[in-house]
């Protein structure tokens, strides 16, 4: 294995991806563009990536024989989503390259482990000096065990039993809160808002008493994400910060207001890099951030390309999926080269197909125009809440970000009214 880890994987070798949704499909397209072949592992026969890959292993993630077949088909594998069992990744890791590692995925796929990992990232205190009448003398830093946490995480408690509910300290002021299942939640699923211990107990029962986190509901001013990639050599590239607007817990708009970074942007990028370094991460990673009451907090880590990073497909020379392929294959990453510094992405959910009660195709032909790029994921069945595609609206020469957002809003209106 050790010698394999150093090697750059060359096309036309096969690359593996666990999960065949839209993220897997974009990965497959990026890999194929570079001359690689792709084997998709996804239990769904209709999976969007499975349809276009050279090979599709259509078996459950815990099917060891099928995983052996995957191992025999490729020398390196990545994942498109964090809900692949960490055991599956560990099993693959014994014989082939898995990037990001099972260890990194195991942390990012479990909200309890993730928060625990984040608060343990320590920061050295600012250097202090004291004056003894004469020249200032530097005070030696305290031992590392006394350093503060470097990552701002919102107030939370672990809920894994009725006892843990009874034990919540009033002083914590955790209500109103959001109870989130620790594993397998996505797009706002597996979350219940609760105002007191009685509601919390009921919500915990609704989740069949699986381990959860209870988070203080923050008064959000805004949400944004940092998408970056880290190579085998520990080198980084990052995309400009992306502002995210959610609707019912699902991302609706992602807006990239400019490609230049101010002081705060640099801070967020550096903290996100710190997280990736602590995970010895190889691949594309996103961190979702909250700004609430003037403070910023880490929300969660996505150990993969991120929905909010889709603007990069149209706005950059090298998109987040190109970086995923480059990192997986042990290549050097490429600077994204943002060609369109202003853009807005609009997610297209299955809801649009049911806009007047019965199922009918959206009239995408009505929104065609300069700088408007429609991506459909080739999903057979539209369903409420299901991501079917997205539209990137690129800011043209003299447009401000407000102009681009206005166009995005009117595109949404046209699609919904026709
Ligand atoms: P998912 O895995 O579904 O993306 P998140 O934890 O990111 O789960 O929650 C989805 C959305 O719900 C967030 O983007 C945010 O809009 C809202 N949300 C989540 N946690 C909080 C919180 N503690 N306070 C306020 N809003 C929250
Ligand atoms: Mg999220």
């Amino acid at each position: 294995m050790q010698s394999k880890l150093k090697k750059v994987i060359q096309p036309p070798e096969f690359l593996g991806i666990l999960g065949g949704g839209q993220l897997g499909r974009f990965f497959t397209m990026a890999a194929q563009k570079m001359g690689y072949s792709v084997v998709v592992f996804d239990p769904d026969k209709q999976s969007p990536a499975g349809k276009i890959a050279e090979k599709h292993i259509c078996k459950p993630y815990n099917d060891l024989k099928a995983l052996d077949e995957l191992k025999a088909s490729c020398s390196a594998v990545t994942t498109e989503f964090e809900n692949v069992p960490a055991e599956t990744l560990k099993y693959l890791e014994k014989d082939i390259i898995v990037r990001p590692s099972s260890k990194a995925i195991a942390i990012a796929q479990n909200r309890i482990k993730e928060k625990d990992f984040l608060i343990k990232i320590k920061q050295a205190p600012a250097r202090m000096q004291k004056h003894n009448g004469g020249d200032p003398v530097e005070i030696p830093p305290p031992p590392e065990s006394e350093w503060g946490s470097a990552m701002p995480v919102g107030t939370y408690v672990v809920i894994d039993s009725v006892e843990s509910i009874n034990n919540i300290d009033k002083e914590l002021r955790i209500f109103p809160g959001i109870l989130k299942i620790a594993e397998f939640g996505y797009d706002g699923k597996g979350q219940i808002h609760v105002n007191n211990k009685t509601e919390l107990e009921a919500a915990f029962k609704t989740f069949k008493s699986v381990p959860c986190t209870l988070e203080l509901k923050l008064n959000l001013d805004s949400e944004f994400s940092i998408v970056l990639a880290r190579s085998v050599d520990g080198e980084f590239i990052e995309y400009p910060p992306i502002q995210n607007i959610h609707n019912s817990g699902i991302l609706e708009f992602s807006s990239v207001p400019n490609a230049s970074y101010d002081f705060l942007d640099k801070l967020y990028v550096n903290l996100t890099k710190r997280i990736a370094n602590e995970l010895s991460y190889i691949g594309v990673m996103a961190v979702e951030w909250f700004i609430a009451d003037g403070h910023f907090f880490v929300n969660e880590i996505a150990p993969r390309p991120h929905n909010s990073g889709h603007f990069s497909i149209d706005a950059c020379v090298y998109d987040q999926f190109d970086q995923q392929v480059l990192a997986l294959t042990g290549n050097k990453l490429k600077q994204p080269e943002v060609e369109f510094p202003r853009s807005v992405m609009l997610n297209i959910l299955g809801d649009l197909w049911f806009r007047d009660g019965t199922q009918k195709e959206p009239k995408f032909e009505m929104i065609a125009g300069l700088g408007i790029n429609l991506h459909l994921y080739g999903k057979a069945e539209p369903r409420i809440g299901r991501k079917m595609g997205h539209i990137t609206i690129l800011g043209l020469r003299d447009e401000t970000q407000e102009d681009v957002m206005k166009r995005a809003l009117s595109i949404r209106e046209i699609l919904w009214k026709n």
Side-chain angles (χ1 to χ4, degrees), residues 157-187:
V157 279
V158 173
I159 302 294
D160 52 8
S161 61
V162 175
E163 206 187 351
S164 62
I165 296 177
N166 294 335
N167 287 344
I168 295 173
D169 188 349
K170 251 201 172 140
E171 297 298 307
L172 200 60
R173 291 172 210 269
I174 194 115
F175 295 109
I178 306 176
L179 184 72
K180 300 182 181 178
I181 51 173
E183 288 187 349
F184 305 119
Y186 69 98
D187 286 347

Side-chain angles (χ1 to χ4, degrees), residues 82 111 178 180 185-189 191 193 215-220 223 246 249-250 288 290 299-300:
E82 51 274 35
R111 293 187 196 276
I178 306 176
K180 300 182 181 178
Y186 69 98
D187 286 347
K189 293 185 180 77
Q191 302 191 10
H193 290 228
E215 296 180 14
L216 172 67
K217 188 171 165 187
L218 299 165
N219 197 7
L220 298 185
E223 297 186 53
H246 291 77
I250 307 183
E288 297 176 6
F290 288 153
N299 174 29
E300 60 175 350

Side-chain angles (χ1 to χ4, degrees), residues 20-84:
Q22 63 271 19
L23 299 179
R25 183 175 166 105
F26 284 125
F27 167 84
T28 302
M29 294 194 280
Q32 290 174 337
K33 189 174 70 185
M34 292 181 216
Y36 294 100
S37 306
V38 177
V39 48
V40 168
F41 195 107
D42 189 310
D44 179 6
K45 258 194 231 140
Q46 304 276 358
S47 90
K51 282 189 198 169
I52 63 163
E54 279 77 3
K55 186 169 177 177
H56 180 189
I57 302 176
C58 196
K59 288 279 158 54
Y61 293 111
N62 56 3
D63 182 329
L64 296 186
K65 244 179 97 187
L67 291 173
D68 287 340
E69 187 188 344
L70 178 65
K71 283 186 202 175
S73 316
C74 67
S75 49
V77 72
T78 189
T79 71
E80 72 147 8
F81 72 144
E82 51 274 35
N83 294 335
V84 172

Side-chain angles (χ1 to χ4, degrees), residues 285-387:
M285 190 189 90
V287 168
E288 297 176 6
W289 293 86
F290 288 153
I291 298 187
D293 297 322
H295 297 278
F296 60 92
F297 302 93
V298 180
N299 174 29
E300 60 175 350
I301 305 165
R304 51 175 168 78
H306 196 257
N307 191 170
S308 67
H310 288 353
F311 80 97
S312 63
I313 299 171
D314 299 304
C316 303
V317 176
Y318 298 107
D319 66 45
Q320 58 173 350
F321 301 98
D322 295 325
Q323 314 289 0
Q324 190 182 18
V325 176
L326 293 170
L328 175 63
T329 51
N331 276 290
K332 277 200 172 313
L333 305 175
K334 293 186 176 174
Q335 282 306 319
E337 305 296 348
V338 185
E339 290 185 299
F340 292 89
R342 284 177 299 282
S343 65
V344 172
M345 184 216 64
L346 166 64
N347 263 343
I348 304 294
L349 303 184
D351 306 44
L352 183 61
W353 275 250
F354 300 97
R355 58 201 176 281
D356 55 11
T358 51
Q359 184 175 337
K360 64 174 189 186
E361 283 301 303
K363 298 208 169 119
F364 290 119
E365 67 280 7
M366 292 185 72
I367 53 134
L370 201 58
I372 297 169
N373 289 352
L374 170 68
H375 298 261
L376 290 172
Y377 306 149
K379 293 188 184 175
E381 277 286 311
R383 286 200 292 267
I384 300 292
R386 187 177 206 197
K387 289 173 179 165

